[in-house]
Amino acid sequence: MRYSTHLLLAGALSALACSPALAQGDAARGQQWASQGDGSGAPCLACHGANGEGNDAGGFPRLAGLDADYLTKQMLDYRSGARVSPIMQPNVDSFSEAQIRDLAAYYAGLPSRSVTVTGTVSDELLALGETLANNGDWDSYIPPCATCHGPGNRGVGASFPALAGQSPNYLSQQLKAWQSGQRHNDPNQLMAAVATRLSDQQIEAVAAYLGRLNASDDGEIKP
């Protein structure tokens, strides 16, 4: 089993290395789409914040500072139905691929502002989340998040988005979506394989820890 987990990791990293870069968009036009929409749906800032900082209470992710190719792929996946969201799909359906690339370029160029997280969690839960994020739980065949998502879990390329400073509610929702099979648009189904091995407590812990990391700093918890 551990050997198969390493194969999954190797396959996902190979997919990342072989993924071609997508065409880049125009950030200035992207700012227009983000703030005004295209006339057929809500503007992005209505849910994701004026500066792409996200909204933890609503489970809306931070977009600011994420990789442009990652953002492009996710929006195209929503549009095609490869990734399902009753909120996102009607809001991207009418965007052209060029407009989607513009939006991705705009958000990728914004500073990596961490999501504002309300509420408190125990030190024990944060410690469990830190262990899972940085060391994994190999006895349960759970690799560290940082293996694919990079140092400080700040993202690697188009396949592995930044997790540091992301909305804990959003992270928890996505892990449960992979766990249930609702989401399946990741390389080689790696996230599904990992998520099915996580308990509810482990999901809460890793989401809480990652969400409290500074998005632009390595390994520092926000006060």
Side-chain angles (χ1 to χ4, degrees):
M1 289 291 292
R2 182 176 297 188
Y3 180 66
S4 65
T5 302
H6 283 299
L7 284 177
L8 281 169
L9 287 170
L13 292 170
S14 175
L16 169 64
C18 296
S19 297
L22 301 175
Q24 297 303 300
D26 184 297
R29 287 198 301 264
Q31 183 176 17
Q32 176 184 342
W33 310 133
S35 60
Q36 300 176 14
D38 68 346
S40 61
C44 306
L45 60 77
C47 295
H48 295 282
N51 299 299
E53 68 274 19
N55 181 322
D56 185 52
F60 298 113
R62 167 175 68 86
L63 304 181
L66 296 184
D67 181 82
D69 287 347
Y70 172 78
L71 290 171
T72 297
K73 181 184 185 302
Q74 299 311 305
M75 285 187 279
L76 290 174
D77 283 356
Y78 281 128
R79 204 181 66 165
S80 71
R83 182 175 176 183
V84 177
S85 166
I87 296 174
M88 280 299 300
Q89 280 169 299
N91 284 303
V92 298
D93 274 352
S94 60
F95 279 119
S96 68
E97 290 192 22
Q99 288 172 316
I100 284 173
R101 288 194 293 270
D102 292 343
L103 281 166
Y106 168 63
Y107 280 114
L110 292 177
S112 301
R113 297 177 175 88
S114 300
V115 173
T116 299
V117 181
T118 58
T120 59
V121 296
S122 69
D123 291 342
E124 291 77 12
L125 195 71
L126 285 176
L128 174 59
E130 181 177 13
T131 296
L132 290 168
N134 299 321
N135 301 315
D137 179 2
W138 287 110
D139 288 340
S140 299
Y141 313 110
I142 299 170
C145 306
T147 299
C148 291
H149 293 274
N153 286 287
R154 287 177 293 171
V156 179
S159 296
F160 304 112
L163 304 179
Q166 186 56 274
S167 161
N169 278 332
Y170 172 76
L171 292 174
S172 177
Q173 289 170 8
Q174 296 310 303
L175 285 169
K176 290 176 181 178
W178 271 304
Q179 195 174 63
S180 68
Q182 179 186 1
R183 184 172 176 185
H184 44 74
N185 69 328
D186 55 316
N188 298 328
Q189 300 296 290
L190 175 63
M191 280 306 307
V194 173
T196 55
R197 300 181 183 122
L198 292 169
S199 68
D200 288 345
Q201 182 190 37
Q202 287 174 321
I203 287 175
E204 181 185 3
V206 76
Y209 170 73
L210 291 168
R212 285 165 174 77
L213 287 177
N214 282 312
S216 57
D217 296 325
D218 189 0
E220 294 185 8
I221 296 286
K222 292 182 290 181

